[in-house]
Amino acid sequence: MIISFETYSQTFYNENNIQDIRIVFSQSNWDALLDTAEQTDSYISAQSVTINGVMYNNVGVKYKGNSSYNPSQVKNPFHIELDTYVVDQNYQGYTDIKLSNVIFDPTFVRETVSYSVLRKYMHAPLSNYANVYVNGALIGLYSNIESISKKFVSNHFGSNDNAFFDCSPPAGAGPQTTNLPNLSYLGALSTSYESAYGMKSLTGWDDLINLTNTLSNNIANIETILDVDRALWMLVYDNLFVNLDSYIGKFKQNYYLYKDNNGRFNPIVWDLNMSFGTFGDPGTGSQLTTATKKTFSHTYHSADTAWPLVQKLLAVPRYKKMYLAHYATMLSENITTPSYLTTAQTYQSLIGTAVAADTNKFYTTAQFTSNLGTTDVNLGMNIASGLTGLMSSRNTYLLAQSDFTNTKPVITNITPSSTSPSVGTTISITANVTNTNSGAVFLGYRSSTFLPFTKVLMYDDGAHNDGASGNNVYGITLPIETVSTQYYIYAENNNIGAFSPVRAEHEFYTINGTYPTIAPGTLVINELMAQNTNTITDPNGDYSDWIELYNNSLNTISLDNLYATDTTSNLLKWAFPSGVTMAPNSYLIVWADQDLTQTGIHADFKFSAGGESCVLSYPNGIIVDSINFGIQTSDMGFARNPNGTGSFVIQLPTFNANNENLSTITFEALKNSITLYPNPASNQINVVITDLIPNENIKIYNQLGQLVLEKIPANENAINVSSLTSGTYILSYNQLSKKIIILTK
């Protein structure tokens, strides 16, 4: 059994090295130019930017930040955009570089430690440090934080063109700001939201409005539009580490929302330079002192309508128990066992010399050391509480709360009935669960990292491979649909929940399935056409090369993990789409035309009419079937005869049909012998055949080449197609096929 989770690592964000970034401006007044450009959030052109010795010319640079920027400072935060003026210019795939000036952090580690913690539980940016020089002069040591960009969401969510929001007021948050990104429903007009959220996608206001409306008015359906688990992890982090310059603070900001291909918004935490209690305004009164930060309630805002993400989620008993389970995990792993401090000390050892050399830093080198301990640093409006003083006391306070002293469910002995099941089969999973309620043990599972987990009940009833009823062993059957099935177990009692693995859903267990291989002779290349100029069109109306496969067996077979190619030098040239199956003694058409975006099954290769190969194989080298063919004749089939087993011969094509059913009537003679009307059709299509062929039926195939309807013809037939879903189909009669479109009413 394997615990799996995603990791992303690049040299540029290696936590063991300080990066070297050197900016060169041709203008001597570069600082004044950046100050002017900052007012309109514009870039100015740097002559060059050199990153760890790699030089890039003509690069966009600007100052960034709200409270961290000040024109009177030497050390301002930078945003470097490598491809502003030079298309595709990047460093290790990164185009945007975000450099924070550590203005509110005497320790220099608040931000990097926070991201290090968060990455254990949810998708969060990579982070480390960089020495930044301008025109040869050291400006100082910066924290280097991965940008929340299209690259980021592509890596973590599998897409980048959906609704995407920076949940911070575009004009910056301050005492004068009245509209904040707290996810309150403000009505159906996008103008009500534009001053609180920055849209990073081309469209998306309707999606955001739907999210706020669902959160406020339809919480029962919130999981269809929000990744609730990630939202809970975010709220846990912000509360535990007293990160109040966030959703749970006065300005309810500093997070992103990206809508994945499953229709769910995913929160991404951002801007953690004031974590560990530096920003002290929770939004419901005066600034918190260090003493009140230590006893900051773990359910703060749970009754405050101005923070609906907290108030609405924690009002759902199951979500609150999940929240408490996550809270207990993060508290135990980072504070009770003070791994945060170990990480902070490691970072300070790495950067100590660079901090001492930073003459533009905002605090003394002595405060760099002391603020990591129990010494507070007064920042004027805020107090940078000593990290260990704050977190040690916070640990003592939280562990004394009844929510964390209550008995928790215990999940042990998780056992799948098979560790390498065949794809397409089912297995059982059992677990020993104590201190839980009946009907409160769930298994979450999915077949792909980018899919949401499906939650199903586990049972202790003696009927789910769980042994005797009532023995605290819970079981469930689980379909194995792909080679990788990911799962976790959740249980709860009246007070709190528990996950296994404890960092679920970000971490999970994995069952590695195996594909049953198709024995040679079962699936065969039955016919192909390497020069289709006027025979039959694909569903898009093109005359394309094609391959006809035939299932010789009496069993349905899966083509998962199977590859096809036109060359023996690259057997893994094209993979069949996942989920394609063939019924017993059935045919399947693959269009060999490299048109992968078209309807139907299209391979990423074309045949040469001068002769080539066609091979079906698995990644382990097993060849299912292969042929070599010589020069082909235009519009003639290269087919096995007898069908499915014989040697290959050049003959009239028998597209999607038995190769032995050749008629004495030529293809040319049949070309105009069928008339279809209406086309598109809804409930009925009329087929007029002028030349009937004995023992030949009308057949209709779907876009995967699978037979969906068959009828004995008369000269004119009214075929009922109301059972078919809307789409494109192929109607075939003898050697002739025509495209039909079904528009079901």
Side-chain angles (χ1 to χ4, degrees), residues 664-727:
T664 56
I665 299 176
T666 66
F667 182 79
E668 287 296 325
L670 280 170
K671 265 195 156 187
N672 298 311
S673 65
I674 293 183
T675 302
L676 306 177
Y677 68 93
N679 191 10
S682 54
N683 296 322
Q684 176 178 298
I685 187 165
N686 298 294
V687 183
V688 180
I689 303 175
T690 58
D691 297 297
L692 291 176
I693 307 300
N695 302 317
E696 187 70 23
N697 290 349
I698 296 171
K699 299 176 182 179
I700 297 179
Y701 298 89
N702 64 18
Q703 295 171 3
L704 295 178
Q706 296 167 326
L707 181 66
V708 295
L709 193 151
E710 186 170 6
K711 181 174 175 63
I712 299 173
N715 289 91
E716 182 167 351
N717 293 267
I719 299 178
N720 187 337
V721 293
S722 62
S723 63
L724 303 182
T725 59
S726 296

Side-chain angles (χ1 to χ4, degrees), residues 4-6 123 223-224 226-230 233 260 262 264 322 442-456 478 484-490 499-501 503-511:
S4 302
F5 55 95
E6 297 169 84
H123 298 309
E223 290 191 49
T224 65
L226 175 71
D227 189 322
V228 170
D229 188 75
R230 286 196 178 104
W233 278 120
D260 60 30
N262 304 299
R264 301 191 308 168
M322 292 167 60
F442 295 86
L443 180 129
Y445 72 97
R446 65 185 180 188
S447 58
S448 169
T449 298
F450 294 132
L451 292 176
F453 283 94
T454 297
K455 288 92 168 177
V456 292
L478 181 66
S484 178
T485 300
Q486 303 164 357
Y487 72 98
Y488 68 89
I489 294 175
Y490 170 76
F499 289 85
S500 183
R503 297 177 184 176
E505 292 176 342
H506 190 61
E507 290 185 1
F508 39 79
Y509 300 114
T510 298
I511 295 172

Side-chain angles (χ1 to χ4, degrees), residues 75 91 135 174 223 274 401 412 421 464 468 533-534 575 585 609 614 675:
K75 187 181 180 182
Y91 181 76
N135 291 351
E223 290 191 49
M274 299 183 79
Q401 303 307 301
T412 58
H464 291 81
T533 64
N534 200 25
N585 303 125
C614 184
T675 302

Side-chain angles (χ1 to χ4, degrees), residues 113-370:
V113 168
S114 292
Y115 284 124
S116 178
V117 170
L118 268 172
R119 287 193 296 270
K120 301 176 188 176
Y121 309 104
M122 64 185 297
H123 298 309
L126 299 170
S127 57
N128 62 3
Y129 297 92
N131 273 319
V132 179
Y133 300 79
V134 175
N135 291 351
L138 175 65
I139 302 300
L141 181 71
Y142 285 71
S143 57
N144 175 34
I145 312 299
E146 181 185 10
S147 174
I148 309 298
S149 61
K150 286 191 172 183
K151 172 184 172 62
F152 180 94
V153 296
S154 290
N155 284 344
H156 293 283
F157 306 114
S159 63
N160 62 22
D161 55 356
N162 300 324
F164 191 8
F165 288 90
D166 178 355
C167 299
S168 295
Q176 75 288 348
T177 308
T178 57
N179 196 10
L180 295 165
N182 68 339
L183 298 180
S184 286
Y185 178 58
L186 305 176
L189 297 178
S190 63
T191 51
S192 301
Y193 302 82
E194 290 171 358
S195 63
Y197 305 84
M199 189 167 69
K200 294 169 65 67
S201 48
L202 295 177
T203 59
W205 288 116
D206 287 345
D207 295 313
L208 180 68
I209 293 168
N210 188 26
L211 169 63
T212 63
N213 189 20
T214 304
L215 181 64
S216 293
N217 302 313
N218 190 15
I219 193 66
N221 288 324
I222 191 62
E223 290 191 49
T224 65
I225 198 168
L226 175 71
D227 189 322
V228 170
D229 188 75
R230 286 196 178 104
L232 293 175
W233 278 120
M234 178 181 78
L235 297 177
V236 166
Y237 167 79
D238 286 338
N239 185 288
L240 175 58
F241 286 86
V242 199
N243 178 46
L244 299 181
D245 192 16
S246 70
Y247 179 84
I248 69 167
K250 179 177 182 178
F251 298 124
K252 311 169 181 76
Q253 62 172 353
N254 287 332
Y255 66 102
Y256 287 79
L257 286 172
Y258 179 72
K259 186 177 182 181
D260 60 30
N261 284 341
N262 304 299
R264 301 191 308 168
F265 274 105
N266 297 266
I268 309 160
V269 177
W270 179 249
D271 196 1
L272 300 176
N273 66 330
M274 299 183 79
S275 59
F276 289 93
T278 297
F279 187 82
D281 194 339
T284 55
S286 59
Q287 291 273 338
L288 300 181
T289 65
T290 295
T292 53
K293 294 171 193 173
K294 293 175 180 178
T295 58
F296 187 68
S297 170
H298 60 287
T299 58
Y300 207 83
H301 295 315
S302 61
D304 295 334
T305 57
W307 285 266
L309 191 64
V310 181
Q311 184 240 337
K312 291 292 186 178
L313 290 184
L314 296 194
V316 177
R318 175 147 296 144
Y319 294 158
K320 182 176 181 181
K321 294 170 189 177
M322 292 167 60
Y323 172 86
L324 293 176
H326 287 338
Y327 205 114
T329 294
M330 195 179 288
L331 173 63
S332 172
E333 292 188 338
N334 298 279
I335 313 302
T336 305
T337 300
S339 62
Y340 87 92
L341 181 58
T342 302
T343 302
Q345 291 168 334
T346 300
Y347 287 158
Q348 284 207 337
S349 296
L350 172 69
I351 65 176
T353 300
V355 169
D358 183 353
T359 58
N360 297 315
K361 62 180 177 288
F362 299 95
Y363 309 98
T364 67
T365 303
Q367 289 172 320
F368 166 71
T369 302
S370 64

Side-chain angles (χ1 to χ4, degrees), residues 454-495:
T454 297
K455 288 92 168 177
V456 292
L457 267 174
M458 298 183 73
Y459 298 91
D460 179 14
D461 60 0
H464 291 81
N465 298 312
D466 57 300
S469 175
N471 64 351
N472 294 326
V473 176
Y474 288 76
I476 190 69
T477 56
L478 181 66
I480 302 300
E481 299 172 339
T482 65
V483 291
S484 178
T485 300
Q486 303 164 357
Y487 72 98
Y488 68 89
I489 294 175
Y490 170 76
E492 66 183 29
N493 54 35
N494 292 336
N495 301 307

Side-chain angles (χ1 to χ4, degrees), residues 398-409:
L398 290 166
L399 290 180
Q401 303 307 301
S402 60
D403 278 336
F404 303 115
T405 59
N406 286 322
T407 300
K408 305 177 183 65

